[in-house]
Amino acid sequence: MSSETLRKSITFIFMCLFGLAMIYPLIWLFSASFKTNEEIFGSLNLLPSSFNWSGYINGWKGSGQYTFGLFFINTFKMVIPTVVFTIISTTVVAYGFARFHFPLKKLLFSLMLSTLMLPNAVVIIPKYIMFKNFGWLNSYLPFIMPALLATHAFFIFMIVQFFRGLPRELDESAKMDGCNSFMILVRILLPLSGPALISAGIFQFIWTWNDFFNSLIYITSVKKFTVSLGLRMALDNSASTPWNQVLAMSVVAVIPCVLVFFFAQKYFVEGIATTGIKG
């Protein structure tokens, strides 16, 4: 066996072990969702002794008055507009920074990037007071309206980097054909920006879907709870926590994020690669 073959074999074995270590918690989560409380805490076996579907059946019923079906619908009501408005608004702002020249452009771009260094805990109180004055509490507007107004600096920066990698000759050719600035964006740049836009959409979908802290702050009515809040409420419904139900609903809650990532992973990898190498 040559040294190159040995090196590749060792690398392959290491990557397999590392991948197994990364995916093991998900395997355990799925397996434990079919166990009883006694088996979860009393057995070290990965696989359940018998597959018990009661965790999924009873877990889906939620608290009785509100099921997890309602929580999933609420989550989609919050996530889908947030993702769509994020893509639209950040694309428009990124187009302005990438293709137009205006006073204080560099200063404004630097200020926008500086907001990335602000932790959420610093701005949560001013945001809460502002949303309270607007009358947006106990609704999904604290998530949807900031997305509509392009407040996510990370996505703006990512799409700006992608636009900077597209030749300006495309814009000039479009102008010669009679296109204005809006038509250049819609007909020339957007069709080429699919990977970057899909990457931003995946990030925003997963982050908003899994958001627990902000949902806990802004949403107070159980009828409007999202999946993350529904899972937390399942821990408080009884003195003895039915962990198989919590784990079963955790498995169901993970499925949309996994499906979105795997169906769009080709564009996601391409978008990250193209936005990460541009200066």
Side-chain angles (χ1 to χ4, degrees), residues 94-169:
Y95 178 55
F97 278 122
R99 286 297 198 257
F100 292 91
H101 297 282
F102 49 87
L104 303 179
K105 173 183 173 180
K106 291 184 177 180
L107 175 61
L108 293 175
F109 189 71
S110 299
L111 289 174
M112 181 206 66
L113 291 181
S114 67
T115 61
L116 290 173
M117 294 180 286
L118 287 175
N120 187 49
V122 173
V123 297
I124 189 64
I125 295 178
K127 285 168 61 178
Y128 181 87
I129 296 174
M130 180 177 65
F131 294 149
K132 180 181 179 181
N133 293 334
F134 289 161
W136 291 354
L137 296 183
N138 199 29
S139 72
Y140 308 129
L141 292 178
F143 302 89
I144 296 174
M145 293 307 297
L148 182 61
L149 299 175
T151 60
H152 300 282
F154 172 77
F155 300 126
I156 297 174
F157 174 72
M158 185 171 68
I159 299 175
V160 165
Q161 295 296 89
F162 189 89
F163 281 161
R164 286 176 176 174
L166 298 177
R168 288 184 177 269
E169 288 78 5

Side-chain angles (χ1 to χ4, degrees), residues 6 13 29 35 42 60 65 69 80 99 102 113 136 142-143 150 162 173 182 202 204 209 226 231 237 257 259 263 267:
L6 179 62
I13 294 173
L29 172 68
K35 299 179 180 180
W60 188 261
Q65 183 179 6
I80 293 178
R99 286 297 198 257
F102 49 87
L113 291 181
W136 291 354
F143 302 89
F162 189 89
S173 299
F182 178 76
I202 293 175
Q204 185 67 302
W209 184 277
T226 59
L231 287 172
N237 283 339
C257 295
L259 292 178
F263 278 116
Y267 302 98

Side-chain angles (χ1 to χ4, degrees), residues 7-46:
R7 185 185 65 82
K8 290 183 178 180
S9 300
I10 295 175
T11 303
F12 178 76
I13 294 173
F14 173 77
M15 294 300 294
C16 288
L17 293 175
F18 181 76
L20 181 61
M22 294 295 293
I23 201 174
Y24 179 81
L26 293 178
I27 298 175
W28 185 90
L29 172 68
F30 179 74
S31 175
S33 65
F34 295 100
K35 299 179 180 180
T36 61
N37 271 16
E38 293 76 13
E39 190 174 4
I40 291 174
F41 294 102
S43 173
L44 296 177
N45 295 329
L46 178 62

Side-chain angles (χ1 to χ4, degrees), residues 94 121 216:
L216 181 65

Side-chain angles (χ1 to χ4, degrees), residues 227-276:
V227 170
S228 59
L229 295 180
L231 287 172
R232 180 64 184 85
M233 186 180 66
L235 301 177
D236 300 329
N237 283 339
S238 59
S240 178
T241 302
W243 286 105
N244 61 336
Q245 298 180 24
V246 176
L247 296 175
M249 290 303 99
S250 298
V251 171
V252 177
V254 168
I255 291 176
C257 295
V258 174
L259 292 178
V260 167
F261 177 77
F262 276 104
F263 278 116
Q265 64 175 327
K266 174 184 176 182
Y267 302 98
F268 175 76
V269 173
E270 185 178 349
I272 293 300
T274 52
T275 55

